[in-house]
Amino acid sequence: MNAPLVNDSLLRALLREPTPRRPIWLMRQAGRYLPEYRATRERAGGFLEMCTNPQIACEITLQPVERFPLDAAILFSDILTIPHAMRLGLAFETGEGPRFDRPVRSAADIARLFVPDPASDLRYVVDAVALIRRELRGRVPLIGFAGSPWTVATYMVEGGGSKTFARIKRMMYGAPRDLHRLLELLARATIAYLNAQIAAGAQAVMLFDTWGGTLTPAQYREFSLQYMAQIVDALTRRADGRIVPRIVFTKGGGAWLDRIAAIGCDAAGVDWTTGLAAARAAVGDRIALQGNLDPAALLAPPEVLRAEALRVLADYGPGPGHVFNLGHGITPDVDPENVAVLVDTVRGYRPPA
Ligand code: CP3
């Protein structure tokens, strides 16, 4: 039995219930900007070694929660664990980003893929979730996550990161049925994976659609949103006697928030290119919003950072349904002191009466 949750403001805000103050957590809150992260990475030997070792994944997940009064922990893992489990030969070169030895380029490559069994192929993630829940002792909720099928497919087809997405877009235009087969498989794999995370103790889940914003509006609906909708629809709704909120984050998706709100998720992530007031006007009272400070504001002098954070808080306006976050992940060059300033600013904020 896990300890009862002491601070549930994240879960409440994601369901648009009132909270005493705006909850805050930060994408990539466990990462290279923290000296303790860099020390653990040194000891572990590499990024994949950290992800695949539940003790280390747990230790890293807790690092930011122990340093700052954040309102959530997010599982330390990666969106590429699913293709890693499909045996595509994943490696993270230092300073290079991810690389696959066996990228997926043809119908035959797609036909060879399989849905990994979370209980065996991704056991290290499930074990990490259970361990983190135990070690959190109910202080704050634990967020589980996965990549969107479209975003994970971009890495599988390109063989790593990309600027132009030429290979997957060639497939999208030239062999759309093949791409749909790949996305369907990824959707099924993601449903099993996230439901295993929920069963192991994840109290909210988030889909990272980092590259959905590279699509046209029609392509976004057909190749990204459709599959996120299938996933949201198939996720376990309740665990530990509470609703498990689902967050959908499409970077660059500000113009499509109305569509995102319609798929049945509880909250949408918003990047810094869309104002929260405009985002709120688009979704109305259907879903909560999470975001959206420019991550580069963490490079500003502390007074400027405070002012920018207050601007985000005020832009959302009164009433429940806002989870403070960045518009994308923290970068490695951020001073942890500035993260302390940001968390303090958001915790101290009281909306004007
Ligand atoms: O938010 C968190 O603190 C949880 C951990 C988390 C990581 N990756 C750890 C990580 C999460 C939620 C992710 C998701 C992820 N991974 C995404 C979607 C979100 C996003 O940032 O857009 C994507 C596209 C990936 C794939 C990925 N993983 C890339 C492109 C890279 C290299 C970029 C980089 O910053 O080096 C990674 C590596 C990665 N994932 C690191 C961390 C902390 C850095 C690894 C290191 O060098 O120590």
Side-chain angles (χ1 to χ4, degrees):
M1 254 316 266
N2 280 307
L5 191 55
V6 177
N7 172 355
D8 66 355
S9 44
L10 174 89
L11 301 184
R12 288 186 179 280
L14 289 173
L15 298 173
R16 307 185 75 263
E17 295 169 9
T19 53
R21 52 176 184 77
R22 306 267 182 112
I24 174 174
W25 70 277
L26 303 169
M27 287 187 267
R28 285 280 172 95
Q29 63 189 20
R32 278 170 297 182
Y33 76 104
L34 287 177
E36 56 271 36
Y37 174 93
R38 296 194 297 268
T40 306
R41 190 185 204 279
E42 199 66 33
R43 181 159 53 82
F47 177 69
L48 261 183
E49 287 73 14
M50 289 157 79
C51 289
T52 54
N53 180 319
Q55 270 76 30
I56 293 180
C58 173
E59 175 185 323
I60 295 176
T61 300
L62 296 179
Q63 285 174 350
V65 175
E66 267 150 21
R67 193 190 255 260
F68 311 109
L70 293 157
D71 295 301
I74 179 160
L75 167 69
F76 181 79
S77 188
D78 201 82
I79 64 168
L80 301 180
T81 49
I82 287 179
H84 178 53
M86 291 174 175
R87 308 197 181 105
L88 299 186
L90 175 63
F92 283 87
E93 321 294 349
T94 329
E96 290 278 309
R99 282 268 145 245
F100 286 107
D101 295 335
R102 290 176 288 283
V104 174
R105 299 272 160 83
S106 65
D109 292 341
I110 294 167
R112 274 194 292 272
L113 297 172
F114 62 98
V115 172
D117 175 7
S120 53
D121 305 315
L122 291 159
R123 173 78 184 262
Y124 61 89
V125 178
V126 176
D127 288 348
V129 169
L131 184 59
I132 296 162
R133 270 299 298 278
R134 196 145 27 90
E135 297 290 319
L136 274 171
R137 301 187 315 273
R139 284 174 282 179
V140 291
L142 175 63
I143 303 168
F145 73 90
S148 74
W150 165 257
T151 292
V152 174
T154 66
Y155 289 94
M156 294 169 72
V157 174
E158 299 292 332
S162 175
K163 287 206 164 69
T164 60
F165 303 96
R167 288 192 167 94
I168 194 165
K169 289 199 173 182
R170 190 172 287 132
M171 188 188 284
M172 179 173 67
Y173 284 108
R177 306 237 302 242
D178 292 346
L179 181 54
H180 277 303
R181 253 191 299 274
L182 173 57
L183 295 168
E184 267 160 37
L185 185 91
L186 282 169
R188 281 193 281 132
T190 307
I191 290 165
Y193 182 53
L194 287 177
N195 278 338
Q197 290 184 32
I198 293 170
Q203 290 152 296
V205 289
M206 176 155 165
L207 283 172
F208 284 86
D209 185 30
T210 308
W211 302 121
T214 64
L215 296 168
T216 68
Q219 289 166 345
Y220 174 68
R221 293 197 295 275
E222 180 179 345
F223 293 95
S224 186
L225 189 62
Q226 180 193 172
Y227 294 99
M228 294 198 287
Q230 287 179 17
I231 294 166
V232 164
D233 197 49
L235 291 179
T236 308
R237 192 55 174 148
R238 301 181 72 89
D240 274 359
R242 295 188 77 127
I243 292 176
V244 180
R246 314 80 183 254
I247 312 161
V248 168
F249 173 50
T250 294
K251 186 162 174 278
W256 308 321
L257 286 166
D258 176 49
R259 298 273 186 178
I260 293 171
I263 71 169
C265 58
D266 300 287
V270 183
D271 72 29
W272 64 96
T273 63
T274 300
L276 286 184
R280 207 172 170 183
V283 304
D285 58 10
R286 289 176 290 169
I287 57 169
L289 295 173
Q290 174 172 281
N292 74 340
L293 183 70
D294 175 8
L298 283 166
L299 306 172
E303 329 74 73
V304 177
L305 169 61
R306 270 192 199 278
E308 290 296 323
L310 291 171
R311 195 205 300 271
V312 168
L313 289 158
D315 192 21
Y316 184 83
H322 181 215
V323 173
F324 193 100
N325 206 314
L326 306 176
H328 198 203
I330 302 184
T331 51
D333 43 8
V334 163
D335 181 346
E337 275 308 305
N338 252 4
V339 174
V341 167
L342 174 60
V343 176
D344 180 68
T345 303
V346 174
R347 286 182 69 94
Y349 178 73
R350 295 293 176 277

